Amino acid sequence: MKPLIDLENVTVAYDNRIALEKVTFRVEEPSFLTVIGPNGAGKTTLLRTLLGLIRPIEGRVVVLGLDVLKNWRKVRRLAGYVPQRERIDPSIPVLVRDVVLMGRVPKVNPGFGLGREDYEKAREALRKVNLEEYWDWPFSHLSGGQQQRVLIARALASEPRLLLLDEPLSGVDAASQEIILKTLKETVDEGVGVVMVTHDINPIMEVTDYLLLLNRKVIGFGKPLEQIEPDKLYSLYGRKVEIVRIGETCYVIGGDAHA
């Protein structure tokens, strides 16, 4: 089986400051990987490195079986990306369908417009996030949680083999949060890998396959319940974090308010 992601001794630096240091981990395809850590831990840098937007000064980055340094164009075509806190200018009269159809543009051959299949794929993606009835709505009329779901639908419309999301649960309502996590889990079940950065561990514990504790270096990596340990969380956040276990369920109290 090809690795979804395989990093070996990856180091990234900005202006002589180390953002990631000798990061090594491997995830099989398809899987749901969640990345947690404090502000400035390098979480967004990791996502951008996986996309080939940032070139490491050391190490090997393999995504979907491809060496990203040599095949970054192909990796980007195979990946869907939902960046952190993306906002579309409310003064622009764009409809929900227009936003989702943006995900189909890379699939269209030069000189050709969007076709029937593109519209069907866009509707299908919107259906996955429970917003198909909003197809003709102005995007600006949606709530923050609904807008985030539309942006996820845009990424899904591109039919990715890997979906990368930076804080998709930040600032969204509980109902949208539940739908987003359900959609991501179903996406993995359909054979698409998911890598999600989040600051709130609790909602993802029962849906994620792997947890990466990152603070420039890998503090921990593996099955979620194996990583939620006092010593590891202290190393991650630099302070004591309370853990409550109820049967097979685990809750973290006093983690990062916004990592």
Side-chain angles (χ1 to χ4, degrees), residues 65-153:
L66 299 166
D67 185 325
V68 174
L69 297 182
K70 299 176 182 177
N71 300 283
W72 56 269
R73 287 186 179 87
K74 187 171 184 180
V75 169
R76 289 182 205 172
R77 286 197 299 269
L78 295 172
Y81 181 40
V82 182
Q84 187 176 4
R85 297 188 189 89
E86 183 178 5
R87 294 291 180 264
I88 294 176
D89 189 340
S91 67
I92 300 175
V94 62
L95 301 179
V96 167
R97 67 167 183 251
D98 300 324
V99 176
V100 183
L101 283 166
M102 291 175 191
R104 296 300 302 173
V105 172
K107 299 283 185 179
V108 178
N109 292 324
F112 291 84
L114 295 170
R116 180 176 178 179
E117 181 182 2
D118 299 304
Y119 279 80
E120 289 174 352
K121 294 293 183 182
R123 278 192 177 277
E124 180 184 345
L126 204 55
R127 191 178 307 122
K128 288 180 177 179
V129 297
N130 288 14
L131 288 176
E132 187 182 12
E133 68 270 27
Y134 292 90
W135 177 258
D136 289 316
W137 276 50
F139 181 78
S140 61
H141 289 190
L142 272 57
S143 70
Q146 289 172 327
Q147 289 185 359
Q148 184 71 307
R149 284 151 61 189
V150 171
L151 296 174
I152 291 172

Side-chain angles (χ1 to χ4, degrees), residues 1-6 26-31 64-65 161 210:
M1 181 179 292
K2 289 182 180 179
L4 177 68
I5 296 168
D6 188 3
R26 178 187 172 103
V27 177
E28 298 297 336
E29 180 181 8
S31 296
L64 297 167
R161 283 181 54 197
Y210 297 97

